[in-house]
Amino acid sequence: MKILVTAKRVEDPESKIKVKPDGSGIVQEGLKYKINPFDEIGVEEGLRLAAKHGGEVVVVSIGTKDVQEQLRHALAMGATRAVWVNHAGALDQLGIAALLQKVVEKEKPDLVVLGKQSIDDDQNQVGQYLAEFLGWGQATFASKVESLESEAEKNKVPAVALTADGKAVRVVREVDNGLATLEVQLPAVVTTDLRLNQPRYASLPGIMKAKSKPIEELTPEKLGVDVTPRIQVLKMSAPPARKAGIKVPDVATLVEKLHNEAKVV
Amino acid sequence: MPIVLIVAEQQPDGNLRKASLNAISAGKALADKAGAELHLVLLAKDPAKLAEELKGTGAKAVHTAAAPEFEHYLAETYAPAIAALAQELKADYVGMASTAQGKDLMPRVAARLKAAMATDVMAINGSGADVTFTRPMWAGNVFAEVKLTTPVKVFTVRATEFPAAATGQGAAEVKTFAAKVEASKTKFVDFKEVKSARPELTEARVVVSGGRGTKGDFKEIEALADELGAAVGASRAVCDAGWVPNDLQVGQTGKVVAPQLYIAAGISGAIQHLAGMKSSKTIVAINKDPEAPIFQVADYGLVEDLFKVLPALRQAIHGLK
Ligand SMILES: Cc1cc2nc3c(=O)[nH]c(=O)nc-3n(C[C@H](O)[C@H](O)[C@H](O)COP(=O)(O)OP(=O)(O)OC[C@H]3O[C@@H](n4cnc5c(N)ncnc54)[C@H](O)[C@@H]3O)c2cc1C
């Protein structure tokens, strides 16, 4: 089974994001970068599938030379090789999906696994755009019935299940009011939710090995994709701050305030 | 005249998903600003009953298509039908509520329409051709004003930011259209509903949420919720541990809620959690740690053990009645 996974470079989810005074972007100084957590879950799922069914995991990232750090991270986790689409400057989801489409057409994977959203743009779009561009089926927000504390999780069993004939995958999805299960013919696009798996740490030998794994360089020009953004970000601003609250000494005071001041109970 | 097309959503139980009404009022606001006409679309096995309900929301027309394949929602069957209608109407905007279905479906519709898309629209600005959307980025740490420059523009609506449209006003024309159902590579297998007698998390007037501080014991959270007629919510840590259904996760990557009262017990207040509840009207935080970041957004904070506070709080509230 050949699995293509993504590794977007994003700000560390723990970091404090501040908007520049002129609203042109966020303050970059002092920020740390990581692989998008949802993509990391995708890499993990790809590795589990490849371990169970044989095959390889190819990881792709789009951006400047810096994204090689995230590619190396995925390679250290166990991906076989990497594709780097070298591009500086703004990209929107249409552009990203169009680039990924070309990479998929070149690589011909059986399955593409991406994060359901990246924690910077929070758009939750690329997997779905990609599936439609390719004319493939999609299973977004992939999860599983077992919890992250279960035996299956400890044994790194893939949650995305290949059907008996090997021609489709069965995916449990997190949706409103419950879990929906779909069966999608391969090749297919899957996007990951938080409860799909707990990504492994890269081992020291893994990190050493990753250094010599190949990274192929591509560009939007080489792939023949016009990535001019069709989403213009005109201005960024900080969200309105909430009025400072108070600490109450006890339950009686809390209830009095909720009843007489906030009038919510 | 430009056209705004809003997609209404039917729940698996046959009812209208309430967030659709919030999306419809966002659609109205957009139509006003863009000088456009508001149209609605509903796909279902049998759309007649919901079409009746949608008729009175003030839209110009409600377009419905019926097909047995629409009984179980699949992006692959819904997207072509909606995109084809949008093309036929020459719709300029196509939107839907940011529900699980909206998020799954609308990018696929956008792809067919070669449209750029804005997710989780919180405000609509400007007028005419210069309409822009405000949407959150970086877990709501940043509000971005964005302009979509493709001829057709697609968006999803953050339901908490728009009122629910009333249903008893006006009588839109209900038009049926024949949707071509394409062969799907995806098969619906099943839907396991998490049944709860409590109100829907995203619709409740009061939400009581528990975090890792509960150590998985949600008895007191639930008892307080029931005293208040509230919905139960949770942090990611709690859902990850399998203590409560995933569907209860509040936050950047879970549900966004804005009730009149949000009570957070044993929740530290990570930015990803705040992203889902910060616009609640009144926030109460109960946490043992006086430094917990949740206190920065709380109107009323109580530094105490939640296992002591929750029963006392329940009794005191009961005593008010
Ligand atoms: C990609 C990504 C997406 C995420 N999305 C979400 C999301 O959508 N929603 C979300 O919630 N999180 C999300 N998170 C996780 C988030 O960063 C935090 O890890 C999580 O919210 C912490 O949950 P918690 O507050 O319950 O646990 P903790 O941070 O462990 O806090 C527990 C709190 O309980 C208090 N406590 C302990 N015992 C008691 C007691 N007896 N009485 C009173 N207080 C007590 C402690 O003082 C502490 O403050 C996401 C993270 C990432 C990386």
Side-chain angles (χ1 to χ4, degrees):
Chain A
M1 203 177 187
K2 182 167 174 181
I3 303 145
L4 189 78
V5 298
T6 50
K8 187 179 183 184
R9 179 180 173 87
V10 299
E11 290 73 19
D12 184 326
E14 309 271 320
S15 50
K16 182 98 193 74
I17 303 292
K18 284 201 212 79
V19 180
K20 284 187 196 160
D22 68 358
S24 65
I26 60 163
V27 179
Q28 307 272 330
E29 284 83 61
L31 289 180
K32 285 209 229 53
Y33 293 85
K34 279 202 160 163
I35 179 173
N36 176 38
F38 288 96
D39 286 345
E40 193 175 30
I41 294 170
V43 176
E44 175 66 33
E45 195 63 20
L47 292 172
R48 291 182 186 189
L49 282 163
K52 180 160 179 190
H53 305 289
E56 63 164 348
V57 175
V58 179
V59 57
V60 54
S61 191
I62 307 168
T64 62
K65 202 166 193 310
D66 293 340
V67 306
Q68 292 195 12
E69 205 183 308
Q70 281 60 51
L71 290 173
R72 293 278 175 219
H73 175 85
L75 293 171
M77 285 173 72
T80 319
R81 59 194 176 80
V83 175
W84 165 39
V85 182
N86 184 353
H87 176 74
L91 275 175
D92 61 14
Q93 287 64 38
L94 266 171
I96 295 165
L99 289 171
L100 291 177
Q101 180 191 0
K102 294 293 175 189
V103 174
V104 168
E105 284 166 0
K106 218 163 130 328
E107 292 286 338
K108 301 189 175 47
D110 302 292
L111 188 69
V112 182
V113 187
L114 318 84
K116 75 165 179 179
Q117 73 192 74
S118 59
I119 59 156
D120 48 2
D121 291 332
D122 281 338
Q123 283 268 58
N124 197 330
Q125 297 174 2
V126 170
Q128 297 90 309
Y129 267 112
L130 178 64
E132 177 62 37
F133 286 166
L134 292 164
W136 293 7
Q138 72 187 43
T140 55
F141 325 148
S143 188
K144 64 180 162 200
V145 178
E146 307 81 28
S147 94
L148 290 176
E149 325 250 291
S150 66
E151 272 310 299
E153 174 58 27
K154 283 193 194 94
N155 296 324
K156 302 205 184 311
V157 177
V160 170
L162 203 59
T163 52
D165 65 3
K167 289 193 177 135
V169 284
R170 198 172 256 245
V171 181
V172 175
R173 308 175 53 231
E174 277 192 30
V175 298
D176 293 325
N177 309 100
L179 295 172
T181 304
L182 297 182
E183 217 169 87
V184 196
Q185 273 171 42
L186 296 176
V189 172
V190 167
T191 77
T192 63
D193 217 318
L194 293 169
R195 258 73 62 177
L196 185 63
N197 63 47
Q198 182 70 56
R200 70 195 61 190
Y201 291 106
S203 65
L204 199 56
I207 295 168
M208 296 311 291
K209 260 204 259 172
K211 293 193 172 135
S212 57
K213 287 181 181 173
I215 297 182
E216 179 188 2
E217 183 183 343
L218 296 169
T219 60
E221 296 70 42
K222 267 192 221 160
L223 292 167
V225 178
D226 173 9
V227 292
T228 313
R230 278 135 297 187
I231 301 179
Q232 291 171 358
V233 179
L234 303 178
K235 190 171 186 282
M236 291 190 192
S237 51
R242 276 188 81 91
K243 197 167 71 39
I246 55 162
K247 293 240 172 78
V248 291
D250 50 35
V251 169
T253 318
L254 176 60
V255 173
E256 188 274 317
K257 296 274 183 204
L258 289 177
H259 189 60
N260 297 321
E261 201 172 81
K263 299 192 170 34
V264 285
V265 297
Chain B
M1 198 179 216
I3 284 181
V4 174
L5 179 65
I6 298 289
V7 183
E9 178 179 341
Q10 184 176 37
Q11 297 179 162
D13 67 5
N15 292 319
L16 182 70
R17 192 169 295 285
K18 287 281 177 342
S20 301
L21 295 173
N22 307 82
I24 290 170
S25 73
K28 256 188 230 165
L30 173 58
D32 285 347
K33 290 191 189 270
E37 216 166 62
L38 177 66
H39 290 229
L40 310 180
V41 55
L42 174 71
L43 307 181
K45 186 173 162 218
D46 176 15
K49 187 180 136 253
L50 291 196
E52 261 326 289
E53 195 174 337
L54 293 169
K55 233 168 98 172
T57 54
K60 174 91 176 140
V62 180
H63 304 268
T64 66
E69 289 86 350
F70 293 152
E71 178 174 9
H72 298 296
Y73 159 79
L74 287 176
E76 255 180 285
T77 50
Y78 275 45
I82 289 163
L85 176 69
Q87 277 167 331
E88 194 191 308
L89 294 172
K90 299 197 170 58
D92 302 80
Y93 294 91
V94 187
M96 187 172 176
S98 272
T99 55
Q101 191 177 119
K103 287 180 183 166
D104 183 56
L105 172 62
M106 294 313 275
R108 198 142 183 152
V109 171
R112 282 186 93 89
L113 298 170
K114 304 270 174 292
M117 172 170 167
T119 297
D120 277 335
V121 166
M122 306 174 75
I124 298 155
N125 326 293
S127 64
D130 289 324
V131 162
T132 63
F133 294 123
T134 302
R135 60 172 304 272
M137 295 173 74
W138 285 282
N141 274 306
V142 175
F143 286 1
E145 187 185 346
V146 300
K147 186 167 178 168
L148 308 183
T149 62
T150 45
V152 184
K153 300 154 181 57
V154 173
F155 61 100
T156 60
V157 174
R158 182 166 277 195
T160 51
E161 303 298 318
F162 296 89
T167 46
Q169 25 150 358
E173 192 183 349
V174 177
K175 298 181 174 182
T176 56
F177 69 103
K180 193 167 131 255
V181 182
E182 297 188 358
S184 171
K185 301 189 175 75
T186 310
K187 201 171 78 194
F188 170 85
V189 178
D190 65 23
F191 172 61
K192 291 213 173 56
E193 190 179 355
V194 180
K195 287 220 170 66
S196 165
R198 298 192 184 90
E200 183 74 29
L201 182 54
T202 49
E203 294 161 17
R205 204 187 66 86
V206 180
V207 174
V208 184
S209 280
R212 203 195 310 264
T214 62
K215 298 188 179 67
D217 180 357
F218 258 53
K219 274 200 295 293
E220 285 301 333
I221 300 275
E222 289 171 353
L224 178 60
D226 291 341
E227 177 61 41
L228 288 161
V232 168
S235 69
R236 173 186 173 182
V238 167
C239 298
D240 279 7
W243 294 336
V244 304
N246 298 335
D247 183 52
L248 299 187
Q249 179 182 312
V250 171
Q252 176 191 20
T253 60
K255 295 264 161 35
V256 177
V257 302
Q260 292 293 305
L261 173 62
Y262 187 91
I263 301 178
I267 293 179
S268 61
I271 185 72
Q272 291 85 2
H273 187 80
L274 302 186
M277 43 66 78
K278 239 181 2 186
S279 36
S280 304
K281 186 166 163 278
T282 300
I283 297 174
V284 171
I286 301 157
N287 198 304
K288 279 202 299 207
D289 172 10
E291 303 301 324
I294 189 77
F295 288 121
Q296 289 163 22
V297 300
D299 299 284
Y300 306 111
L302 186 50
V303 182
E304 256 288 15
D305 188 323
L306 70 93
F307 292 104
K308 268 204 266 171
V309 168
L310 291 178
L313 185 56
R314 174 164 47 86
Q315 277 150 24
I317 288 171
H318 190 78
L320 289 173
K321 291 183 183 160

